[in-house]
Structure formats: C-alpha cells, structure tokens
Amino acid sequence: MRILIVNPNTTASMTATVADSAARVANAGTDITAVTSSMGPVSIEGYYDEAFAVPGLLLEIAKGEKASAQAAIIACFDDTGLDAARALANIPVIGICEAALATTSFIAQRFTIVTTMERSRQPLEHLVHRYGMAGRCNVRAADIPVLSLEDPASNARDKLRHEIGLALRDDRAEAIILGCAGMADLTAELRNEFNVPVVDGVACAVKQAEALIALGLTTAKSGAYASPISKPYKGMLEMFEPRLMMGG
Amino acid sequence: MRILIVNPNTTASMTATVADSAARVANAGTDITAVTSSMGPVSIEGYYDEAFAVPGLLLEIAKGEKASAQAAIIACFDDTGLDAARALANIPVIGICEAALATTSFIAQRFTIVTTMERSRQPLEHLVHRYGMAGRCNVRAADIPVLSLEDPASNARDKLRHEIGLALRDDRAEAIILGCAGMADLTAELRNEFNVPVVDGVACAVKQAEALIALGLTTAKSGAYASPISKPYKGMLEMFEPRLMMGG
Amino acid sequence: MRILIVNPNTTASMTATVADSAARVANAGTDITAVTSSMGPVSIEGYYDEAFAVPGLLLEIAKGEKASAQAAIIACFDDTGLDAARALANIPVIGICEAALATTSFIAQRFTIVTTMERSRQPLEHLVHRYGMAGRCNVRAADIPVLSLEDPASNARDKLRHEIGLALRDDRAEAIILGCAGMADLTAELRNEFNVPVVDGVACAVKQAEALIALGLTTAKSGAYASPISKPYKGMLEMFEPRLMMGG
Amino acid sequence: MRILIVNPNTTASMTATVADSAARVANAGTDITAVTSSMGPVSIEGYYDEAFAVPGLLLEIAKGEKASAQAAIIACFDDTGLDAARALANIPVIGICEAALATTSFIAQRFTIVTTMERSRQPLEHLVHRYGMAGRCNVRAADIPVLSLEDPASNARDKLRHEIGLALRDDRAEAIILGCAGMADLTAELRNEFNVPVVDGVACAVKQAEALIALGLTTAKSGAYASPISKPYKGMLEMFEPRLMMGG
Amino acid sequence: MRILIVNPNTTASMTATVADSAARVANAGTDITAVTSSMGPVSIEGYYDEAFAVPGLLLEIAKGEKASAQAAIIACFDDTGLDAARALANIPVIGICEAALATTSFIAQRFTIVTTMERSRQPLEHLVHRYGMAGRCNVRAADIPVLSLEDPASNARDKLRHEIGLALRDDRAEAIILGCAGMADLTAELRNEFNVPVVDGVACAVKQAEALIALGLTTAKSGAYASPISKPYKGMLEMFEPRLMMGG
Amino acid sequence: MRILIVNPNTTASMTATVADSAARVANAGTDITAVTSSMGPVSIEGYYDEAFAVPGLLLEIAKGEKASAQAAIIACFDDTGLDAARALANIPVIGICEAALATTSFIAQRFTIVTTMERSRQPLEHLVHRYGMAGRCNVRAADIPVLSLEDPASNARDKLRHEIGLALRDDRAEAIILGCAGMADLTAELRNEFNVPVVDGVACAVKQAEALIALGLTTAKSGAYASPISKPYKGMLEMFEPRLMMGG
C-alpha cells in the first residue's frame, strides 16, 4: 500500500514529526511518503492561513495520485482543503481531525480536543459539529503557537498538560484528542502521564487510509465530490492549478 | 493480532458468511476467530430478539477476551449489546453499524443503509442519530426476513436490489451500506452492478479493530463503560453471568 | 383497572418502596401488582446490569399480561428493556424515566434528574435526548450505590441533597426529578425541604398507565413495536423466552 | 377533583363537543367545568386569531382558579396562551397539543397530527419542535375551516379521512393525533375505521390534569412562569386584566 | 421611506428613547413615526405582560399601515406579537430581537444577549433557538426591572455592566446584544467601555426595515402569514379587532 | 459610504451583472465599486473551484480596504472565502448567501434556494445549516452551468423556472432565493411570473453592508476572526499574500 501524507504548512520539521508518528503505526507492507507543501505559510493558525495553504496542498495531492498513491492524508488538524482535495482526487483523502474523531468514538462516549491557538477553536468546533460529534466532544485551546511545540525552551507543553487536566476534570472527558499534527510525538508520554486514552490524528488517519485501501473504497463521485470541471483560469493563479501543473 | 467476531444470533451459516467477509479484508498477520452465540434466537429482527441475544453475546465476548483476543466485533447490524459489551470488556469492542457509518463518512457525504425488516428500521435510525450521522444517512428496509438472504429460492436479493435503486434515485445517496451481516457476501456483486461504493459493516469492523489494536487504544473506563460492579445475582440467570461462567 | 409494576432488579425491599409510592397516588379503583424479577442482578447500575435484567423483566411482563394486567410499568429509571417489552406486550408499557419527564414538562421549563451512580448518567442523558428533553433537562449523579439508599447508616441521602442543591443553584432547574426507583419514598420530604416540585417517576408512571387505560390506547403495532416473530431458540436461553415459558 | 376546561374561541357548540369528550374519560370523582371564552373570535385559525383569544382565555383561567379549580385545560390545539396562563395561575395548566403529544409518545414511535387549516400547520410544527417531538411527529392540514367540522353538509370529514390515509401511507405514522378540539367526537369512529391509535388531545389533557392533581404537582414558579408583577395598565385593555377584573 | 415603530408597552418615555436610537441611524430620506401603544401594561416582563400588549400593538400596526407606513418595527426585545402582526399586515414587520441577531451574525461568531429580568430569559432563549442562533448566542439577565433603566437612582446600569463583563469572560462572547429596547441609549457608551461590538436591536431593525423597502420585499402570504380570515367576534374584545376599529 | 463588491470568479461580464443589481438598490449616497478577481477560475462550481478563487479574492479585499472601502461583499453564493476575508479585513465582510438568508427570514417562514449545479447543493446545504436555517430552507439545483446563465441560446433559464415551480409545489416554499450571483438580473421578472418574493443575494448584501456601516459595526476580532499573525511564506504562493502584495 502506498499512502501519501501532505503537511499543508511549509515547515519541514513538522513533516518529520508527522512521518515518525505515521511510521510507528503503519502496517509492515505500507509505504508512506510524507511531503511538505512547497507553497504557503509556515504554520496554519486559523481561517486565513488555511486559505493560503490549500493550493499547495492540492498540488501535492495531485502529484501523489499521479505517483500511484492509493490514499492521501492531510496532516493539519483543521482538515484544511479536505473537500476540495476529495473533489480533485480519485483516491480517498482523509483529514486527521475526522480520523481522530471517528476512531475515538469507538472507545469513548465523551472526549475533548486540545488544540493550540484560541483562533483555531471555532473552526474545530465547526468540524466537530459537521462530523456529528457535537454533544460528545469539546474543544479547548492551550493558547500556544503551533511552532512553539517544537521549541524546548517554550512552556507550550506545560500549557498543553494544564489544559488536558482541565478537560478531564471539567468536561467529563474520557479520552483526549491532540488537536495539532505537531503534537503527534507526545502521544505515548501523555497517555502514561494522564492514564486515559490519548489520540493522535496522524496515526488514526494512517489506519483509516489502510482500511479504505483494503476495503477497496474510494470517494463517491456522484455528489459534491464530483471531479472538477475543466475550465479556463485567469491571472497568475493559473500556474498553480494542479491539473495544469501536472500536465493533466 | 487476534480479533474475535461474535455472531449474536445462533445461526452458524451466517457466522460462516461473516467469517468469509472478514477474511477477505484482514491483514496477513491478523488471526480472526468467528463464533456463533450458543444461546438465543436464530436471527435478530427488532428489539425483542436483541434482548435475548445479549446474554449469549456477552458470554462469548468474555470467553474471547480470556482467550487473548485483542479486539471484539459484534456482527449484527443493530450493534446488539454494544454498550454492555464495552462495559464488560477491557479490549475494544466494535459494532458493524458504527464501523460502516464511520468508514463511509470518509468517502461520501450522503449514504443510505438498506436493511432487512421494517421493524429494524427505527432501531437503526436511532443508531444513525446517536452516531452523529442524522441528516447524511437514510435507512430503508427491503422487507425481507434475515434468514431469507441465505435462501436462493427467495426473492430477497431482488427486493434488496430494488431498494438500493430507490436509495440512489430518491435519497441522493452516493454510497450504499448493507444493513445486515448476512448481506456481506453480496458486496462485490452490488458494487459492480450499481457502480457506487457498497459498504459491508463486517469488513469495516475488521479494519477498525485492527486499527485500534495498532494504535494501542482500548475502551475508556472512566464513564459509562466503567467495569461492572460485582454483585449478587438471583434466579437462573445467574448462570449466564459471564464473569461467573468464566470463573471470574 | 389492573396495573402491573415490575421491579427489574431482584431486590424485594426495593419493590416494596415502589409499591408504596404507587399506592399513594393510584385511583381508588386501581389494582396494582408489584413484582420483583426472579432473575438477574440485585441492582441496575449501568449498561451491563441492564443487559442481564431484561430477560427476567420480559418474563414478568408476559406473565402479567396473561394475568389480565391492562398496563405495565418498568420500575427502573433506565427504562430497562422498554422497547423490547413494548414489542412483546399488547398492553401499554411505561418507563418511569419517560413518565417523569413527560409529567414534569407540564409544570416546568427546565429541570434536573438526580440519579445514583456516575455510570448511569450517560445512559440517562441518552434517554433525555431520545425523549426530546435535551436542552431542558440536565442529569446529575450523586455518586451513591443504588442499594445504599436503603441503608440508614450510609450518607447516601445527604449526597443526594447536596446534588439537588447544586442543580437548583447551577442548572437553573425549576424542578427536580428523582432518578432512581429507590428514591420514591423521599419525594414528600424533599419537596418540603427544597420548596420546588420534586418528581418521582414511579408515581408518574402509575398515573400515565391509568390514563392510557382510560383513553383506550395501546401500543401501536405497525412499526418497531410489531409483535415478535416466533422463531427457534438455541441453547439454554430458550427456557427464558417468555412466550415459551408461558406456554404461548 | 375540579378541572376547568376553557374553550378559547367563542363558539359554544364547540365547547359542548369538548365537554363531551372530557366526560367520557374523566374519573368518577372528577368534576369538569367547561366554559366558553366570552371575548374574541369564533374560531382560532392561525397566529392572528390566537392573539385575540388570549385575554378572554386568561380571564377564564383566573375565574376558574378563584372558583377552586385544581387544574386548567386550554382546549385549542395551538395551545393558545399557554405560557401566559402558566405564569398567571398557581394551579397547573395543560394544553391539548402538548397533552396529546406526551400521551402518544408512550404508545408509538412515529405519529402525525392532522389539523384543519394550512395556516395552522407552521404554528403546530413550532409546538412539535418545542415539545421535543420533531423527527417523530409530522403535521398535516386537511384544508378545512374549523367550524366546518360541525357542518354535516360540508365535506370536512371526508377531507380529514383522506389526510389520515396519506399520513399512514407516506409518513410511517403509527398513530394519528386529531389536531383540533372540534374533532374530539370523531375519535372512536376513526379508530375503528383506520385500525390504528387515534388520539384526541382533550381527553389526554383531562387525564394529565387528573394526574398532576393526584401527584400534588403545580407549576414551578422560579423561572419563566413566575407570577406576573403587578403593574399599571393604560387604556381600555386595563379592564381585561384578569387580576383587576377579578378584584385581585 | 416611511417606517412605523410601535412601542408595545404604554410608557411614552421609553418610546422617546427608542425614537432617538432610530433617528441616529436612519437614512436621510427615511421618515420614522414612533408610537406608544394606547393599551396594556407599562412594561413587558415575561409571557403574561406580552399577552396583554398584543391587541394594542396590532391596532397600531393596522393604523400605521393605513397611514401608508412601508414597514413596521415592534420595539420590544421579546418580539411581542410578531407572528400575528405579520399575518395582519401587508407591509413587512420586524422584531428588534430578530434584527439584532441577524445583524450581529455578520460580524461575530459568538455573542450574548443581556436582558433585564430572569423571567424574560427563557422566552428569549426560545427566540434564539427559533431564529437559528442556538449554539452561538447565550442569554443572560441582569435582574433589573425594565423601567429601572430610566431611573438614574437605581443601580440598574451597574448590574448591566456587571453581566456584560461576565458574558465576555465566561461565554466566549465576541459581541454583546442589548436585550431591551430601553437600553438603546447606552449603546455608544458601552462600546467605548468594553471595546467590543455592542448592538442595539432598535437601530438594527430600522436598517433592516429600510433594506426590505429598498429591496421591494414584503411578507410572503402563502403560509402561516396568510391574511386573517374575517370572522365574527364575541364580547368586548371585538372592539379591539384592528380591522374593525379601522373600519376595515 | 464606500462598498466594495468582489466577484471571486474571473468573468467580467458576471461582475457587470452583479454591479447592475447592486446599483438598483443602493442608497443615493453609496459608492459601489465592483471588481473582478484577477486570478482563478472563470466560474465557481463546487469545492475545488472555491479553493482556487480564494487567494485572488483576498487580494481584492485587501486592496479595497486600503482604498478606504467601508464594507466588502463577496459576490458568489457559496460565500467563498468568507471566514478568511473576515479574519483579514477590519471592515465588515458579507457573503451573498448569508445576506439572502437573513433578509428572507424576515418575510417568510419557509423558503428554497435554487442554485445552478448539483455539486453546489451540498456546500450550500452546509451554509444553510451553519447559518441556522436548516428546517426552514431547502436547496435545489437546476443542473445548469454558471456561465450558461449568460447564454441566451441555452435553456438554463427554463430549467431554473422549472425548479422554482417544483420548490413552490413540493417544498412549501413561500419565497425563492436565487442561488447564484449570475441570476441577479432575473429577480424582477421571476417575481412577476411566480407572484412570490424572489430574493437576490447581491442586492441583500448591499443593504446589509450599508446597515453595518450606518450602525458603526465591524467584525469582532476577539475570536476566530482575530487578525492573521504575520508569518513567513515559502514558495511561489508568497507573492499572493495580500499583505505582502499590498506592501503591508
């Protein structure tokens, strides 16, 4: 099985964190390619950053599908560009937020996402609602910049721990979902520390991608995910249209 | 990986159908044990049959966990006894309805479950609602007895096909979920015939079970799935209490 | 009028509490028979205990209907086995949780259920949602074992009072519903103490049962409550199938 | 027990129909007084008519409470003025729509209200939603004026029958609720004809009123139903203020 | 453009506050007539007061339409009588609660209404739900009588400020809606003080009324807002029926 | 007042249609600038086209704000890029779908959006849900390409008419919302033809923009619409970052 993981921000060190998390849970026969988007912001913190991360993300999805990937994963917890990617690709595409929610729903009735910035809280609450988990899943923000997770000198991880503690005490959370791809390496440590299930969306998405490939299931193309209609582009953006860039 | 599948009705031929479906999608290293419940009705058609299928099911879950299964699957589309099984077991337990819904949600926005009897429609609608898929997922009944699916002389499969056609035409369904474990062997055939994703819950549940094992996730025990309190039983039913029967 | 009340746990002293509560509100011409289930756990605390209480409960429902009861009440606040009982019986069957919610909805906009164990909170929240009272009705747990309510040496009643106080202060509750059949004898005392409506589900269910009998209404049999299909049983459980045990 | 029924429209013949329906189901010891509002429109068809029916209705509620009624029923299916009446009165007040919905919810999962005029459909849908029955209960209008129900020469009853037939065929309705107090006398006839539970809100409200009296429950006064604050009135409307008219 | 504003309580000084707020935001060419209802309570605090404010309100709506108003505004935050007014009038009718909610939804994701009396909280929560803003909009009450807002000696405005502070701290409110027409003159001051958007429903309603007039949109008359059917009235209330009083 | 309208597709003739619609309803003192995005697809039909329209749209929003626009309108019915634009801009930003829904909610209880392509239906249903109009507003697609609306030889307008007819007959729609900016010029004609309110989102958005300016309300910046954090960009996309392109 060949699975593509796209980090839609342009920070290669975060891609490495993601790749490590994926490798730890992938099946023996699964070949994972983790790529960093070549265009856009170094981190995705809120709606604006998402907007500029999407074209580069879609380009990587298109390249990956051409290179025979059988499923693609978008490794940002906002599920950035997921709908557009599903319309573009014929292979299944999975967001790490939806993968984490679906997986956690099998092992807990109530759970809390702990994410980074307050401004990401509302977009995640919209996802939780759309994925049918409103009423089971709260969203908290630890008020930490995404890239601070990589900085040992910051107190980001302490803030994250503090917020997990509040979730367990005040939300009746039975499990914790880490709400940022950059937290993937903390999973095992936090499980031991808090003694509850702690869920990393990247790892979940890898297993869901393997599942869809094994089940022979690909995105339904009769509704909103119908393949894009080929049409003229104007201006400089044309050069980013994946099908054009890929020669297709 | 060792996965237990319990067919909570007492019809062994249906267990064989389920086991075949599971074997087709399991990983190479996965060892699947499919068992037929030793007690209860020969098919589960509605709330009443469910009630009598649960004790036998729980006994098999307990036996399976003692025999080192790492995850368990309940192979009835009503997700019969799922909450009680999750409270009983320490290993994760997966229902085929919830597995089918979660899996299909990655590849389609709208989908329809086609089940057997009209009386099963409302219980399934409650599950769809509880799993957060109301508004995306309709439930239809083909008005066929469960066991008629095994009878080549019945017109059960024609009725099923007819209802799938209506779902695609009238529900804006982009994918079809087969709403009975006994339909698992029809998946490939119906995909070819209707040219849309057709989803079998048994196969989905196998992949979700493998995923949870690989991810090291087990049922959260701090809420409604806390382990049962040991307490006295009165009357003949005592002999069915799994922990007692198992000597635990 | 002949009304059957089934205590689905096997503790006879709790049946006595229930019978007293029922007798206080029944009409002069109402004949109430309160029975203790002959099989299963001594108390129902969560999903697992529910599962083992159902077969014995259904047997009593069947016996009661044969003995000319005109309505049946299930005296456990989880509404244990209610759907299966409605499918089995031709007479109307009422759960004490649904009776309490429906009755309280006539006299208050917001109210809180105070139940026993934390593990029962989520099952009750599912009932509240299913009965259409989400948004009006919170659920709290006083963290007391069911049977401790009968033990004068325990501090169970103090804990219950404490939780009622929190409900009135923090939930904007205008009325309190006692979330366990074993609390029925406390109703009058707590009304006086807190000076708000305090509702006992057993008493409510008696009045609802009398109402249905007077109105000539019985369970609709065209949907999920259609009478069970007669079918073979395998294994020891067969002997518990009510129709078989009753010779029907 | 003394129960007051107020017909909030000013058509005495409809009050007689309502009183007959009430008498058929009341307990032996229940004394029912049915009064016709002295002010307002002859029938209530939509929001505008409701507005002008409320002051006269409230006056009758106040008079009834002063005359020692122990519960009051508002005999219009729009539950006209129910919230204001609950604030005014210390005795419990019951609407026939909410009584019908609560009662039917014990005997059927899905049901349909068949009302008179199309313009009443949306107000009833709002009630269905507010009472927590959205998803279980449809509303249909037979497109008949309220008073035509009393006119043997009209085809009103045929239209009603036609709409009931559609509800059973197309809504998966398992029971029918008659959506107008003026239909109360048709209940028995329609039950026989359609062989499903047919529910009259007036009869249901009588039983709910008896239940609340027996249970010793009255409207909670700590929230939106707190007793009105006495305050000056200006203009002619002052003379309709119930407390003023009643000398209180 | 000619816009009518009806203050449905009978306190003229509050009408003056409302008229000032309207004048501050109206277009140059807009002619605003603010009238005080001639009948009913001096303030509207809860369901009961609403009931007696409606007939006088409807009369003013009818008079205004006859006098060529092109749109009408109901200047009470409960949107008192809005549905009946829409049925009565051919010109569009706007409530200040719905106008405030719709307007605020363009500039904030989450917001809180701060109203006067606790007893008004639940009616406003029902409006928030009906207008589709549940989940985005909380309702708080500062526990102040409506008319105390006009009394400089009361501490009403301090209590209001306190509650706004709590909304910003605890509700994640990004904007504040003033939940009473009598607060309109505080808008600018509170914006400066709290440095968040503070929204006055009266001003919003004026702009929405101007918008509907400019867009040529009037109330749809094919559903629940169909014009009232002319019918006999009985009793003294007849003299309040707007069409009769207006000679129409 | 200075209002910017951005057509986020790159077809100038559609911008002209939009500008005409806006001019018809703008106040005398309102100066409207309608611009065509310089980059991206010639029409927006579904999720994929949206993704590529956003960067060019955001650039125009930034340019417009720098050029002293006081409010901005996004003239695509998918409300393309609305959240990102609100985060970017300090001036209020309005989508034509949300403007149409909010405006129509004042004049009708039920309404239907008729849009172009089937693949746009689901994205619009998500908007309807998010804006709180689920249950009141259906979405239909006439199955016509966006640009065919401008082609007199196509049968696009006939198909649109057909779908409007179905909405009025089958959806209980009391008003129709035209679900594409390119339909704006049809509004008057369709109102006459169908004799129900027909609503154009562009015109609505102009009035809402004028309203927000007059009310002195701008986007709340304390939540998800906090101004974007300045951060490094990598790759070619950097040159599209509005703040960079604008020198800010």
Side-chain angles (χ1 to χ4, degrees), chain C residues 22-46:
Chain C
R24 270 193 293 276
V25 299
N27 285 340
T30 299
D31 173 41
I32 291 180
T33 304
V35 301
T36 309
S37 177
S38 62
M39 302 186 282
V42 293
S43 62
I44 299 177
E45 295 165 321

Side-chain angles (χ1 to χ4, degrees), chain F residues 29-93:
Chain F
T30 298
D31 173 40
I32 291 180
T33 303
V35 300
T36 309
S37 176
S38 61
M39 302 185 285
V42 293
S43 62
I44 299 178
E45 295 165 322
Y47 290 123
Y48 182 82
D49 293 344
E50 276 194 73
F52 286 96
V54 174
L57 161 75
L58 293 174
L59 179 59
E60 295 302 330
I61 299 278
K63 285 163 67 176
E65 185 168 13
K66 192 166 184 185
S68 303
Q70 291 167 284
I73 292 167
I74 299 174
C76 174
F77 208 83
D78 297 313
D79 288 358
T80 311
L82 179 58
D83 285 317
R86 279 195 180 135
L88 169 62
N90 289 303
I91 57 175
V93 184

Side-chain angles (χ1 to χ4, degrees), chain D residues 30 70 116 183 201 205 247:
Chain D
T30 299
Q70 292 167 283
T116 52
M183 298 172 181

Side-chain angles (χ1 to χ4, degrees), chain A residues 41 44 46-56 80, chain F residues 51 54-55 58 81 84-85 233 237:
Chain A
I44 299 178
Y47 290 123
Y48 183 82
D49 293 345
E50 275 194 74
F52 286 96
V54 174
T80 312
Chain F
V54 174
L58 293 174
Y233 271 62
L237 205 63

Side-chain angles (χ1 to χ4, degrees), chain A residues 10 38-40 42-43 45 47-49 52 117 119 129 227-229 231-235 237 240-243, chain F residues 10 38-40 42-43 45 48-49 52 117 119 129 227-229 231-235 237 240-243:
Chain A
T10 49
S38 62
M39 302 185 285
V42 293
S43 61
E45 294 166 322
Y47 290 123
Y48 183 82
D49 293 345
F52 286 96
M117 303 281 282
R119 68 182 60 203
H129 192 87
S227 295
I229 298 162
K231 62 181 65 170
Y233 272 61
K234 287 189 183 153
L237 204 64
F240 297 109
E241 218 258 301
R243 291 166 305 180
Chain F
T10 50
S38 61
M39 302 185 285
V42 293
S43 62
E45 295 165 322
Y48 182 82
D49 293 344
F52 286 96
M117 302 281 282
R119 66 181 62 203
H129 193 86
S227 296
I229 298 162
K231 63 181 63 171
Y233 271 62
K234 288 191 183 151
L237 205 63
F240 296 108
E241 217 257 303
R243 289 167 304 181

